[in-house]
Amino acid sequence: EAGVVQSPRYKIIEKKQPVAFWCNPISGHNTLYWYLQNLGQGPELLIRYENEEAVDDSQLPKDRFSAERLKGVDSTLKIQPAELGDSAVYLCASSSGGMIGELFFGEGSRLTVL
Amino acid sequence: AQSVSQHNHHVILSEAASLELGCNYSYGGTVNLFWYVQYPGQHLQLLLKYFSGDPLVKGIKGFEAEFIKSKFSFNLRKPSVQWSDTAEYFCAVILNYGGSQGNLIFGKGTKLSVKP
């Protein structure tokens, strides 16, 4: 079974540039999460989808971050414009309805903003 | 705000030593508790979980954790570590609000280095 796939693995951009990250969850997993992980910190939730609906986006900085999951499968997280403080690892995870707290994570997308 | 505290940032052990990683959470209600592990170069994966029942739970690779409600703790243990246990360990909690569940809240993680 394929795991959660994220791309790109690494991205280096200059500040004020846009960037997008893509995630394909495990087949059949209705719940999709985007987490932010700063160096030396644990993952922090940005947004949670149930199918195509964003059910919790309270921690997403909506002035510059946006996300979509149009068909309830893969998802894109965008930052526009990026700031120096956005340098971090962006993690995508998915889970199925009955597996509370059991998230399957991708390898992450490491963003460096110069 | 509710939080998860992991006491040690970096733990260094020799092989065969015993391991205990501390985790405390701050929430007076019902919780579900988890330990996740991230091996070097790999993705985060679930190590073990506690929902209810026996407060001593066993996970993969010989790990176990004990939920002590009175201490708001969920410490991870292993009697004898191996070099392959070198990884970063994250404690996480889901808060239950009157039947509905919140999201996973992670601690800052503890890096474990095992010397061969």
Side-chain angles (χ1 to χ4, degrees):
Chain A
E1 179 182 88
V4 176
V5 179
Q6 290 187 246
S7 68
R9 289 292 312 280
Y10 304 93
K11 187 74 176 180
I12 300 174
I13 61 172
E14 295 192 345
K15 63 181 180 182
K16 300 185 181 180
Q17 293 298 306
V19 63
F21 305 110
W22 176 80
C23 172
N24 192 37
I26 292 173
S27 176
H29 281 192
N30 295 332
T31 308
L32 183 145
Y33 311 78
W34 283 103
Y35 280 85
L36 164 71
Q37 186 173 19
N38 286 302
L39 189 64
Q41 303 292 319
E44 299 173 30
L45 181 70
L46 288 172
I47 190 168
R48 175 167 65 100
Y49 282 94
E50 296 290 346
N51 298 304
E52 63 273 12
E53 181 182 359
V55 296
D56 187 347
D57 63 356
S58 58
Q59 301 303 310
L60 189 73
K62 298 180 184 66
D63 57 336
R64 297 185 300 107
F65 286 65
S66 64
E68 59 183 16
R69 192 185 186 200
L70 292 175
K71 296 183 179 179
V73 182
D74 58 345
S75 175
T76 302
L77 177 70
K78 298 178 181 177
I79 308 174
Q80 183 170 9
E83 297 179 353
L84 294 176
D86 296 331
S87 295
V89 177
Y90 293 83
L91 296 169
C92 179
S94 69
S95 67
S96 64
M99 307 292 277
I100 299 168
E102 186 167 351
L103 275 58
F104 293 80
F105 283 85
E107 294 184 324
S109 295
R110 182 178 295 276
L111 173 65
T112 301
V113 182
L114 302 175
Chain B
Q2 293 81 17
S3 67
V4 179
S5 299
Q6 293 186 239
H7 312 304
N8 307 101
H9 178 63
H10 192 183
V11 172
I12 302 172
L13 296 173
S14 297
E15 276 195 314
S18 63
L19 169 72
E20 181 160 6
L21 301 181
C23 173
N24 287 89
Y25 62 93
S26 60
Y27 179 64
T30 305
V31 295
N32 302 130
L33 297 157
F34 306 83
W35 277 95
Y36 276 79
V37 60
Q38 187 168 24
Y39 297 102
Q42 297 187 27
H43 57 272
L44 267 170
Q45 57 188 288
L46 183 66
L47 191 58
L48 52 77
K49 60 187 176 184
Y50 172 78
F51 281 15
S52 62
D54 189 344
L56 184 63
V57 293
K58 296 187 184 298
I60 59 173
K61 302 187 181 184
F63 285 91
E64 64 180 31
E66 184 175 13
F67 171 50
I68 303 179
K69 188 174 181 180
S70 61
K71 296 184 177 181
F72 300 91
S73 69
F74 190 56
N75 292 354
L76 181 70
R77 300 196 294 247
K78 186 171 184 179
S80 175
V81 295
Q82 301 174 313
W83 177 79
S84 58
D85 293 324
T86 294
E88 190 158 16
Y89 294 80
F90 293 90
C91 183
V93 61
I94 287 180
L95 312 178
N96 295 312
Y97 306 100
S100 65
Q101 288 162 327
N103 296 302
L104 263 179
I105 303 170
F106 285 88
K108 292 185 177 182
T110 298
K111 287 186 181 178
L112 171 65
S113 299
V114 180
K115 298 182 293 183

